[in-house]
């Protein structure tokens, strides 16, 4: 029994972190081979021609809570984006801001800027209010402290020429102006790699709040208690049979925080919201959903189970010490957790420091899942968000 539990936990962990990305790559390789064969037989690769008509109208919707430190920069960034002026607007939904954010937005006389203030109720309530009142056919959602590259909107919008596409996820790049977060950048590169290949199959599992776009007609009101709106909104669109794709050319930049306590709290909040989201997209839990269900289970559900799987693998291994092989597996598990501790202590240098930092990052990420799950069970995670302070330059 111990051996069965060990291998079940180990294989599930290997699947979610290693096998699943490899499967995505293999599936893409096979698709390219079949496309080449079709081209040789028919002389056509059946690619969709880009629309030659007018570009769709776009509303950039930003939920803002006490963003006085960056809202002016956000507006300047928004109007530097390459998109037809007569088909673009910026809608700022203020969630009871008390630091002068609303006054700073009102200073903009450009008629394309609209402010929708309301008492504090949470980001989901802001989106429920602002998206239906937006004028654009396409809604681009972004955060106030996320700066978007000039060509990103055009890169997102071009995918909606395909009527089967319901949402497009952009690429978020995190940066720290005072130091290089190796482990954070490595994780985001890994996640972007997975999203890229999921996007080729139209099944990106969730977006990031920094930059993604949806068809306005596909938005449905969310429960006000929703914690991770940027996860649930694309999943609902995917559940309804539309494609959710990834556009690596639509890039946004966001500054990270050096307050690790707040960062851990942010991860725990997201984890609580992830567990909450299960009841909102029940269709993706069923095999009848096809590849989107496979992606959801492989990329997300098993990740959320990783802390339990790690514990099972370690405890089961303790009952298998009569085998040299399992002595080695226990040794490597112990070594990994020791590296995580050294990563926290910061006593190593060079390559050793990087390896230890990645181990520590992985362990704390999974500890945040445990904390988030506990908050979810107790219904202790509030929907209203507190902005994470940007690192000081």
């Amino acid at each position: 029994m111990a051996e069965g539990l060990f291998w079940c936990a180990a294989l599930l962990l290997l699947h979610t972190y290693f096998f699943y990305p490899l499967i995505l790559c293999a599936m893409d390789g096979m698709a390219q081979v079949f496309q080449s064969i079709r081209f040789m037989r028919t002389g056509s690769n059946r690619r969709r021609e880009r629309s030659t008509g007018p570009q769709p109208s776009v509303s950039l919707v930003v939920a803002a809570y006490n963003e006085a430190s960056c809202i002016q920069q956000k507006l300047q960034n928004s109007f530097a984006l390459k998109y037809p002026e007569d088909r673009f607007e910026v809608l700022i939904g203020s969630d009871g801001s008390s630091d002068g954010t609303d006054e700073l937005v009102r200073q903009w006389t450009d008629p394309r800027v609209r402010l929708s203030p309301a008492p504090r109720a949470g980001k989901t309530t802001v989106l429920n209010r602002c998206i239906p009142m937006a004028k654009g056919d396409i809604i681009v959602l972004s955060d106030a402290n996320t700066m978007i590259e000039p060509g990103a909107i055009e890169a997102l919008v071009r995918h909606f020429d395909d009527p089967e596409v319901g949402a497009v996820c952009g690429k978020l790049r995190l940066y720290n102006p005072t130091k290089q977060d190796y482990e954070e950048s490595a994780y985001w590169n890994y996640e972007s790699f997975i999203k890229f290949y999921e996007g080729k199959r139209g099944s990106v599992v969730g977006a990031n709040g920094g930059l993604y776009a949806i068809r306005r007609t596909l938005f449905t009101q969310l429960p006000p208690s929703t914690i991770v709106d940027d996860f649930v909104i694309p999943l609902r669109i995917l559940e309804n049979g539309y494609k959710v794709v990834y556009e690596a050319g639509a890039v946004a930049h966001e500054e990270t925080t050096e307050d690790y306590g707040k960062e851990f709290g942010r991860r725990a909040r997201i984890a609580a919201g992830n567990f909450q989201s299960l009841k909102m997209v029940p269709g993706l839990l069923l095999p009848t959903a096809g590849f989107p269900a496979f992606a959801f289970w492989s990329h997300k559900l098993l990740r959320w189970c990783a802390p339990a799987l790690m514990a099972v693998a370690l405890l089961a291994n303790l009952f298998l010490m009569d085998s040299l092989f399992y002595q080695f597996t226990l040794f490597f598990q112990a070594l990994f957790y020791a590296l995580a501790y050294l990563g926290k202590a910061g006593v190593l240098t060079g390559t050793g420091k990087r390896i230890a930092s990645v181990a520590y990052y992985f362990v704390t990420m999974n500890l945040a899942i445990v904390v988030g799950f506990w908050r979810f069970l107790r219904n202790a995670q509030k929907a209203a968000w507190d902005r994470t302070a940007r690192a000081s330059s």
Side-chain angles (χ1 to χ4, degrees):
M1 181 177 178
E3 190 171 22
L5 287 173
F6 173 84
W7 281 109
C8 181
L11 289 175
L12 289 175
L13 283 169
L14 287 171
H15 174 73
T16 189
Y17 285 108
F18 298 106
F19 296 157
Y20 175 60
L22 293 177
I23 290 171
L24 290 176
C25 291
M27 294 178 75
D28 180 63
M30 292 175 62
Q32 291 185 23
V33 170
F34 289 137
Q35 187 177 21
S36 298
I37 294 173
R38 185 185 300 116
F39 176 77
M40 288 187 291
R41 288 179 175 176
T42 65
S44 172
N45 58 9
R46 301 178 64 181
R47 289 183 179 177
R48 179 180 297 274
E49 295 293 331
R50 293 191 61 183
S51 173
T52 57
Q55 292 176 287
S57 55
V58 170
S59 294
L60 177 63
V61 176
V62 179
Y65 170 64
N66 287 351
E67 304 287 359
S69 63
C70 61
I71 196 64
Q72 292 273 38
Q73 184 183 2
K74 179 64 176 180
L75 289 169
Q76 291 170 359
N77 172 258
S78 299
F79 289 113
L81 299 173
K82 296 177 181 178
Y83 206 77
E85 292 185 6
D86 62 336
R87 309 191 69 78
F88 181 73
E89 69 167 351
V90 179
L91 179 55
I92 306 294
S94 178
D95 188 32
S97 296
S98 58
D99 67 341
T101 296
D102 297 2
E103 289 72 19
L104 290 172
V105 175
R106 290 190 180 100
Q107 291 178 10
W108 283 74
T109 58
D110 193 314
R112 293 174 296 166
V113 178
R114 288 198 288 157
L115 173 67
S116 174
R120 177 93 160 133
K123 184 178 180 181
T124 301
T125 301
V126 173
L127 298 182
N128 283 341
R129 180 178 77 250
C130 290
I131 293 178
M133 66 185 289
K135 299 176 182 178
D137 298 319
I138 305 300
I139 304 297
V140 175
L141 294 121
S142 182
D143 293 329
N145 64 335
T146 302
M147 300 301 136
I148 305 172
E149 292 192 356
I153 302 298
E154 288 186 335
L156 291 172
V157 168
R158 67 183 179 85
H159 289 278
F160 292 102
D161 288 347
D162 183 347
E164 295 181 356
V165 171
V168 186
C169 178
K171 182 175 183 178
L172 183 64
R173 288 179 176 169
L174 301 179
Y175 71 96
N176 188 316
T178 60
K179 67 176 183 178
Q180 181 180 7
D181 291 322
Y182 172 77
E183 62 276 9
E184 185 82 18
S185 61
Y187 172 75
W188 277 98
N189 288 336
Y190 169 73
E191 278 295 301
S192 297
F193 173 84
I194 293 176
K195 287 181 182 295
F196 175 78
Y197 281 101
E198 285 179 339
K200 289 195 169 188
R201 300 192 61 81
S203 298
V204 177
V205 185
N208 57 70
L211 182 63
Y212 70 105
I214 65 171
R215 294 185 189 274
R216 180 170 52 83
T217 54
L218 297 182
F219 176 76
T220 55
Q221 295 281 305
L222 299 172
S225 60
T226 303
I227 299 169
V228 284
D229 52 273
D230 55 343
F231 185 61
V232 175
I233 291 173
L235 283 185
R236 280 186 163 184
I237 292 173
L238 187 63
E239 184 184 34
N240 287 331
Y242 289 88
K243 294 179 182 178
V244 178
V245 301
Y246 178 75
E247 175 51 66
V251 180
H253 302 265
E254 186 172 314
E255 197 171 317
T256 60
T257 177
E258 293 186 359
D259 188 328
Y260 291 104
K262 288 187 177 181
E263 179 62 19
F264 184 87
R266 185 187 69 84
R267 293 178 190 168
R269 179 182 184 275
I270 292 173
N274 288 339
F275 289 109
Q276 179 201 58
S277 70
L278 292 176
K279 64 181 179 182
M280 302 182 195
V281 286
L284 292 181
L285 299 174
L286 304 175
T288 51
F291 183 81
F294 175 71
F296 189 42
W297 278 88
S298 299
H299 190 180
K300 297 300 180 181
L301 283 175
L302 289 181
R303 291 275 190 93
W304 305 342
C305 295
L309 295 173
M310 292 163 67
V312 168
L314 181 60
L315 292 174
N317 206 156
L318 295 174
F319 293 92
L320 301 169
M321 295 303 294
D322 56 341
S323 166
L324 181 61
F325 173 80
Y326 291 111
Q327 291 174 12
F328 273 111
T329 59
L330 182 62
F331 169 77
F332 284 117
Q333 288 185 78
L335 177 62
F336 175 78
Y337 293 116
L339 283 171
Y341 176 78
L342 293 174
K344 181 180 186 302
V347 296
L348 300 178
T349 59
T351 303
K353 180 180 179 179
R354 286 190 169 188
I355 295 173
S357 294
V358 170
Y360 175 61
Y361 183 88
F362 183 83
V363 170
T364 55
M365 183 172 62
N366 281 282
L367 284 176
I369 293 176
V370 174
V371 173
F373 182 63
W374 178 241
R375 291 181 185 177
F376 164 72
L377 290 178
R378 297 186 300 123
N379 195 28
Q381 179 62 63
K382 62 179 181 178
W385 85 110
D386 293 315
R387 72 182 303 273
T388 301
R390 301 170 76 188
S392 56
S393 299

